[in-house]
Amino acid sequence: MLKRDELNVDAHNNVGILYHDKGLYEDAAREFRRVLAINPSYVTARLNLSAVYLKLGRPDAAAAEARAVLATDPRHSDALVNLALAQDAAGQGPEAQLTLRRALEIAPHSAAAHYNLAQMYERTGELALAAEHYRQFLQFAGPAQAGYIADVRARLQAATRGTK
């Protein structure tokens, strides 16, 4: 029998990730909040909570968590990406694009920032810019983004056809 350590932030964070992966977002949020109750400076849990709040349709809460990370580290590119996604979900598209461009100034190889910026440009009909960022995504994508590659290639092909 495993002994449960209620103060083990890594364990709670990992359980939260498992809940997230199963689509149990409320349960995931509860675990990430437990981590933060124990250790408010646990950045990974705060970013995970921000992402879960986006899944739950709570962009204001997602933005608040991303801003909490940025308050201690204004150059945290993952927090900027989460903030941009929250801004976009809240209908603040131009602000979201600015935030993603800021993330790319800090971390030019951020596949997540390139992907999300490409999607925003695609939605606004700026296909040349979308294609540029889809290409950058493909260049910098790692194993975590492998599931997006086929879709991005198709989007890139469509965007490129649309710009001719």
Side-chain angles (χ1 to χ4, degrees), residues 74-95:
R75 297 181 53 81
H76 199 293
S77 62
D78 291 335
L80 286 166
V81 170
N82 281 12
L83 176 58
L85 292 172
Q87 290 169 323
D88 191 46
Q92 302 165 350
E95 294 88 346

Side-chain angles (χ1 to χ4, degrees), residues 115-135:
Y115 176 81
N116 288 295
L117 192 53
Q119 290 218 308
M120 288 178 195
Y121 283 137
E122 186 177 1
R123 280 197 319 263
T124 60
E126 298 171 86
L127 299 182
L129 290 170
E132 174 187 329
H133 287 283
Y134 281 136
R135 282 187 199 97

Side-chain angles (χ1 to χ4, degrees), residues 62-78:
E65 295 301 333
R67 284 189 179 104
V69 172
L70 293 167
T72 59
D73 181 0
R75 297 181 53 81
H76 199 293
S77 62
D78 291 335

Side-chain angles (χ1 to χ4, degrees), residues 143-162:
Q145 293 90 18
Y148 295 89
I149 290 175
D151 180 60
V152 167
R153 285 189 176 130
R155 289 175 177 274
L156 176 58
Q157 187 174 22
T160 304
R161 275 195 311 266

